[in-house]
Amino acid sequence: MRLIVVDDEPLARGVAREYLAAHPDIEIVAECANGFEAVKAITELAPDLVLLDIQMPKLDGFEVAELVGGKTRLIFATAFDQYAIRAFEIHALDYLLKPFSQERFDKALAHARASLASALPRQEAAVREAAAARDRPLGRVLIRDGAKVHVIRAEAIAWIEAQDDYVQIHAGGKAYLKNGALGELEAQLDPGRFLRIHRSYLVNVEHVARIEPAGRDSHAAILADGTRLPISRSGYQKIRGAMQ
Amino acid sequence: MSWLTRARRGALLYLLAWLIVGAVLGGMCAIVTSAPPANALLFAIPGTLVYGVAAGFSAYYLCRANPLGARPLALVVLALCTAAVLAAFMWLAVLGGWNELCLAAGVRWAGIVQTPLLSALLFALGTLLYGLLAAINYLAIESGRARNAERRELESKLMAQDAELRMLRTQVDPHFLFNSLNSVSALTSQDPKGAREMTLRLAGFFRRSMGMAGHPRITLAQEMDLVRDFLAIEKVRFGERLVTEEALEKGALDCLVPPMIIQPLVENAIKHGIGQLTDGGLLLVAAWRDGARLSITVSNAIDPEMPETRRSGTGLANVRQRLACAYPNESTLEWKREGETFSVEIRLPAQAATTEANDSGA
């Protein structure tokens, strides 16, 4: 079994290494000290199992889980007990409370071995569902680009365009492709800031400079950088209300 | 409901008092005009009761509208005198009218002969009674205000206690303890000496923080001992990511501060600042004395790309509240975020350890 250890504390990684020494069938393929490294390593190395800390710099454990989209099984290891329910909602295999004993760790591994045969898709769907059901609007959007991860603050996003199975996110003069539907992202972002002005366009109201008529019965939104976005009839009602 | 019954009882007592005044007045009338007692009482009591109600309301509103100290005293006295004279005149008119009615009825037991002497006496009494009412009202207002002040003082004391309790509850962050124990657990096999060192630091930190809870003030030097224990433990966890520096002026170290006032700031700095950086950063604690003021700043590296966390507000609010309770209107807490640095500065009166000892002895 191939495993990745993710923890920002070297000593905590040391404990995991020590406990794992008792399991010769498990190979540690990588050790990561933050969320970025973890996403990169999980994407590139496709391990069977990840021992994941939650409070980490850059990306926390749940953001890592969201980005790798259930491509691996997770065991959380943290000193915080308040995230346990959230962890099981995304079908984590186990939730270890630091400090934990070798026996407790062995049990978690035994559980992992037993369930590794079971299908991953269920977990994948659960991760997506949990991300969509978050009650707070997203403050930042995570985009995985191969093994690279972009973290984009919601304020910086000017507009988002639907493209088949992808969305194109425009922020700071750059465009990023992200998996998923526009409606899904719309549901997660702050509805006071992001308006669906068209079937294919979600716009950040704060980046809209003005609305111009375009043709006899249609309008266009002009963004601060000069971009023109079409506005549908129902979108016009929404944006007019928001801009007043 | 209880308020209603109490109000009703108050009103009944008030009317009873006026009934007595009316009876006494009736007796007086009987003597002055040598009218039969029944006639005198019938003359005096109804009018007096009416006056009690009317003058009572009038004096109450007049006193409420002119609180003492808010307006020039002469103006208040003038207003009251005018009101008293007017009220007395009206009372006289009511009594006179009632007497006319009684006389017109033509029965033996009603009506008296209203002499000028009686009228003058009644007028004087009316003004006096009105003045008395005003005085009673002012007394009630003042005592109410004193009671309010007392209650406010009690409330602020309770608030201070509450803040203290919250401090005790937050002073030991359970996650800090569990993470530290995890480090100890790791060190026991990798570095037994380090594990012992860490255990001693933990014991020192907890012993110090528990000992401090009972003291209203400690010296900055003592607080810094606690902070150093805390930082030493965190350094074992974070390794090279946590770099700390101190810039403490000598005179500042003898100054008194509320216990555990810097520790939460340092804890925040690690939790929301350095802990969020992959490469870590610098945490600086500085303190200096500036005449009668003591300034303490805690600044730390932050990730400039991180959105501002709302969570950091609670720790700061707690420290701010404790400072406000310890030094009402004499302390400030300010924080600012500049690029890659976050800093909190607290300013409070500089009290040297020796003067405090004298103060508490006095």
Side-chain angles (χ1 to χ4, degrees), chain A residues 8-9 15 18 34 57 80, chain B residues 175 186 189 237 241 276 278:
Chain A
D8 64 327
E9 292 174 32
V15 176
E18 192 188 323
N34 62 62
F80 298 81
Chain B
H175 304 119
S189 61
R237 281 183 53 209
R241 284 166 66 203
Q276 301 297 323
T278 43

Side-chain angles (χ1 to χ4, degrees), chain A residues 6-86:
Chain A
V6 185
D7 200 304
D8 64 327
E9 292 174 32
L11 282 172
R13 295 200 297 273
V15 176
R17 226 180 299 133
E18 192 188 323
Y19 285 173
L20 281 164
H23 300 266
D25 64 316
I26 293 178
E27 181 198 352
I28 304 178
V29 290
E31 279 190 26
C32 308
N34 62 62
F36 279 169
E37 283 179 24
V39 173
K40 184 168 164 5
I42 294 168
T43 313
E44 283 177 354
L45 304 169
D48 301 308
L49 191 62
V50 176
L51 186 64
L52 190 58
D53 187 14
I54 291 180
Q55 295 254 312
M56 286 184 298
K58 298 292 181 192
L59 298 173
D60 69 27
F62 289 107
E63 288 171 325
V64 170
E66 189 185 327
L67 281 169
V68 298
K71 289 198 173 59
T72 179
R73 310 299 319 251
L74 304 169
I75 295 177
F76 284 105
T78 172
F80 298 81
D81 52 9
Q82 68 259 44
Y83 302 122
I85 291 175
R86 231 179 114 191

